[in-house]
PDB file of all heavy atoms in Angstrom:
ATOM      1  N   MET S  80     -10.535   1.595   1.016  1.00 98.00           N
ATOM      2  CA  MET S  80      -9.540   0.568   0.771  1.00 98.00           C
ATOM      3  C   MET S  80      -9.248  -0.122   2.092  1.00 98.00           C
ATOM      4  O   MET S  80      -8.584   0.470   2.975  1.00 98.00           O
ATOM      5  CB  MET S  80      -8.279   1.201   0.240  1.00 98.00           C
ATOM      6  CG  MET S  80      -7.204   0.259  -0.107  1.00 98.00           C
ATOM      7  SD  MET S  80      -5.684   1.009  -0.721  1.00 98.00           S
ATOM      8  CE  MET S  80      -5.042   1.708   0.801  1.00 98.00           C
ATOM      9  N   LEU S  81      -9.817  -1.271   2.290  1.00 98.00           N
ATOM     10  CA  LEU S  81      -9.764  -1.903   3.629  1.00 98.00           C
ATOM     11  C   LEU S  81      -8.420  -2.563   3.908  1.00 98.00           C
ATOM     12  O   LEU S  81      -8.086  -2.763   5.071  1.00 98.00           O
ATOM     13  CB  LEU S  81     -10.844  -2.975   3.726  1.00 98.00           C
ATOM     14  CG  LEU S  81     -12.226  -2.356   3.845  1.00 98.00           C
ATOM     15  CD1 LEU S  81     -13.326  -3.464   3.764  1.00 98.00           C
ATOM     16  CD2 LEU S  81     -12.402  -1.636   5.192  1.00 98.00           C
ATOM     17  N   GLY S  82      -7.683  -2.920   2.911  1.00 97.00           N
ATOM     18  CA  GLY S  82      -6.381  -3.551   3.192  1.00 97.00           C
ATOM     19  C   GLY S  82      -5.725  -4.074   1.920  1.00 97.00           C
ATOM     20  O   GLY S  82      -6.118  -3.683   0.799  1.00 97.00           O
ATOM     21  N   SER S  83      -4.816  -4.960   2.037  1.00 98.00           N
ATOM     22  CA  SER S  83      -4.088  -5.492   0.873  1.00 98.00           C
ATOM     23  C   SER S  83      -3.881  -7.000   1.080  1.00 98.00           C
ATOM     24  O   SER S  83      -3.935  -7.545   2.164  1.00 98.00           O
ATOM     25  CB  SER S  83      -2.749  -4.779   0.704  1.00 98.00           C
ATOM     26  OG  SER S  83      -1.918  -4.962   1.799  1.00 98.00           O
ATOM     27  N   ALA S  84      -3.583  -7.684   0.007  1.00 98.00           N
ATOM     28  CA  ALA S  84      -3.260  -9.122   0.010  1.00 98.00           C
ATOM     29  C   ALA S  84      -2.073  -9.354  -0.849  1.00 98.00           C
ATOM     30  O   ALA S  84      -1.485  -8.412  -1.439  1.00 98.00           O
ATOM     31  CB  ALA S  84      -4.493  -9.862  -0.445  1.00 98.00           C
ATOM     32  N   GLY S  85      -1.658 -10.607  -1.023  1.00 97.00           N
ATOM     33  CA  GLY S  85      -0.589 -10.935  -1.848  1.00 97.00           C
ATOM     34  C   GLY S  85      -0.798 -10.483  -3.286  1.00 97.00           C
ATOM     35  O   GLY S  85      -1.949 -10.318  -3.684  1.00 97.00           O
ATOM     36  N   PRO S  86       0.203 -10.243  -4.068  1.00 96.00           N
ATOM     37  CA  PRO S  86       0.101  -9.698  -5.376  1.00 96.00           C
ATOM     38  C   PRO S  86      -0.507 -10.687  -6.391  1.00 96.00           C
ATOM     39  O   PRO S  86      -0.265 -11.910  -6.298  1.00 96.00           O
ATOM     40  CB  PRO S  86       1.483  -9.287  -5.766  1.00 96.00           C
ATOM     41  CG  PRO S  86       2.352 -10.241  -5.038  1.00 96.00           C
ATOM     42  CD  PRO S  86       1.639 -10.485  -3.695  1.00 96.00           C
ATOM     43  N   LEU S  87      -1.184 -10.143  -7.366  1.00 96.00           N
ATOM     44  CA  LEU S  87      -1.484 -10.898  -8.593  1.00 96.00           C
ATOM     45  C   LEU S  87      -0.168 -10.958  -9.364  1.00 96.00           C
ATOM     46  O   LEU S  87       0.896 -10.486  -8.890  1.00 96.00           O
ATOM     47  CB  LEU S  87      -2.544 -10.104  -9.418  1.00 96.00           C
ATOM     48  CG  LEU S  87      -3.896 -10.048  -8.790  1.00 96.00           C
ATOM     49  CD1 LEU S  87      -4.773  -8.902  -9.397  1.00 96.00           C
ATOM     50  CD2 LEU S  87      -4.632 -11.357  -9.019  1.00 96.00           C
ATOM     51  N   SER S  88      -0.213 -11.582 -10.504  1.00 94.00           N
ATOM     52  CA  SER S  88       1.006 -11.647 -11.334  1.00 94.00           C
ATOM     53  C   SER S  88       0.678 -11.116 -12.718  1.00 94.00           C
ATOM     54  O   SER S  88      -0.497 -10.969 -13.096  1.00 94.00           O
ATOM     55  CB  SER S  88       1.469 -13.119 -11.421  1.00 94.00           C
ATOM     56  OG  SER S  88       0.536 -13.876 -12.122  1.00 94.00           O
ATOM     57  N   GLU S  89       1.666 -10.996 -13.515  1.00 93.00           N
ATOM     58  CA  GLU S  89       1.490 -10.546 -14.896  1.00 93.00           C
ATOM     59  C   GLU S  89       0.583 -11.564 -15.657  1.00 93.00           C
ATOM     60  O   GLU S  89      -0.216 -11.143 -16.524  1.00 93.00           O
ATOM     61  CB  GLU S  89       2.867 -10.439 -15.539  1.00 93.00           C
ATOM     62  CG  GLU S  89       2.801  -9.749 -16.947  1.00 93.00           C
ATOM     63  CD  GLU S  89       4.198  -9.486 -17.506  1.00 93.00           C
ATOM     64  OE1 GLU S  89       5.144  -9.446 -16.739  1.00 93.00           O
ATOM     65  OE2 GLU S  89       4.293  -9.417 -18.772  1.00 93.00           O
ATOM     66  N   GLU S  90       0.698 -12.835 -15.277  1.00 95.00           N
ATOM     67  CA  GLU S  90      -0.075 -13.843 -15.936  1.00 95.00           C
ATOM     68  C   GLU S  90      -1.525 -13.854 -15.467  1.00 95.00           C
ATOM     69  O   GLU S  90      -2.443 -14.117 -16.291  1.00 95.00           O
ATOM     70  CB  GLU S  90       0.505 -15.223 -15.615  1.00 95.00           C
ATOM     71  CG  GLU S  90       1.901 -15.477 -16.290  1.00 95.00           C
ATOM     72  CD  GLU S  90       3.053 -14.740 -15.593  1.00 95.00           C
ATOM     73  OE1 GLU S  90       2.950 -14.507 -14.342  1.00 95.00           O
ATOM     74  OE2 GLU S  90       4.027 -14.371 -16.280  1.00 95.00           O
ATOM     75  N   THR S  91      -1.801 -13.600 -14.211  1.00 97.00           N
ATOM     76  CA  THR S  91      -3.136 -13.662 -13.679  1.00 97.00           C
ATOM     77  C   THR S  91      -3.903 -12.316 -13.795  1.00 97.00           C
ATOM     78  O   THR S  91      -5.088 -12.288 -13.682  1.00 97.00           O
ATOM     79  CB  THR S  91      -3.185 -14.055 -12.156  1.00 97.00           C
ATOM     80  OG1 THR S  91      -2.376 -13.144 -11.369  1.00 97.00           O
ATOM     81  CG2 THR S  91      -2.570 -15.481 -12.007  1.00 97.00           C
ATOM     82  N   TRP S  92      -3.166 -11.217 -14.051  1.00 97.00           N
ATOM     83  CA  TRP S  92      -3.797  -9.864 -14.171  1.00 97.00           C
ATOM     84  C   TRP S  92      -4.946  -9.820 -15.120  1.00 97.00           C
ATOM     85  O   TRP S  92      -6.060  -9.384 -14.813  1.00 97.00           O
ATOM     86  CB  TRP S  92      -2.744  -8.817 -14.450  1.00 97.00           C
ATOM     87  CG  TRP S  92      -3.258  -7.474 -14.727  1.00 97.00           C
ATOM     88  CD1 TRP S  92      -3.306  -6.875 -15.885  1.00 97.00           C
ATOM     89  CD2 TRP S  92      -3.810  -6.578 -13.756  1.00 97.00           C
ATOM     90  NE1 TRP S  92      -3.876  -5.626 -15.801  1.00 97.00           N
ATOM     91  CE2 TRP S  92      -4.212  -5.392 -14.447  1.00 97.00           C
ATOM     92  CE3 TRP S  92      -4.054  -6.625 -12.350  1.00 97.00           C
ATOM     93  CZ2 TRP S  92      -4.814  -4.300 -13.833  1.00 97.00           C
ATOM     94  CZ3 TRP S  92      -4.652  -5.573 -11.746  1.00 97.00           C
ATOM     95  CH2 TRP S  92      -5.020  -4.370 -12.457  1.00 97.00           C
ATOM     96  N   PRO S  93      -4.743 -10.287 -16.393  1.00 97.00           N
ATOM     97  CA  PRO S  93      -5.844 -10.126 -17.349  1.00 97.00           C
ATOM     98  C   PRO S  93      -7.107 -10.927 -16.904  1.00 97.00           C
ATOM     99  O   PRO S  93      -8.241 -10.438 -17.095  1.00 97.00           O
ATOM    100  CB  PRO S  93      -5.282 -10.741 -18.657  1.00 97.00           C
ATOM    101  CG  PRO S  93      -3.792 -10.593 -18.492  1.00 97.00           C
ATOM    102  CD  PRO S  93      -3.537 -10.780 -17.018  1.00 97.00           C
ATOM    103  N   ALA S  94      -6.935 -12.089 -16.336  1.00 98.00           N
ATOM    104  CA  ALA S  94      -8.078 -12.891 -15.866  1.00 98.00           C
ATOM    105  C   ALA S  94      -8.772 -12.200 -14.678  1.00 98.00           C
ATOM    106  O   ALA S  94      -9.992 -12.223 -14.597  1.00 98.00           O
ATOM    107  CB  ALA S  94      -7.617 -14.262 -15.537  1.00 98.00           C
TER     108      ALA S  94
END
Side-chain angles (χ1 to χ4, degrees):
M80 182 180 74
L81 288 171
S83 61
L87 292 160
S88 67
E89 190 174 336
E90 293 75 29
T91 59
W92 173 253

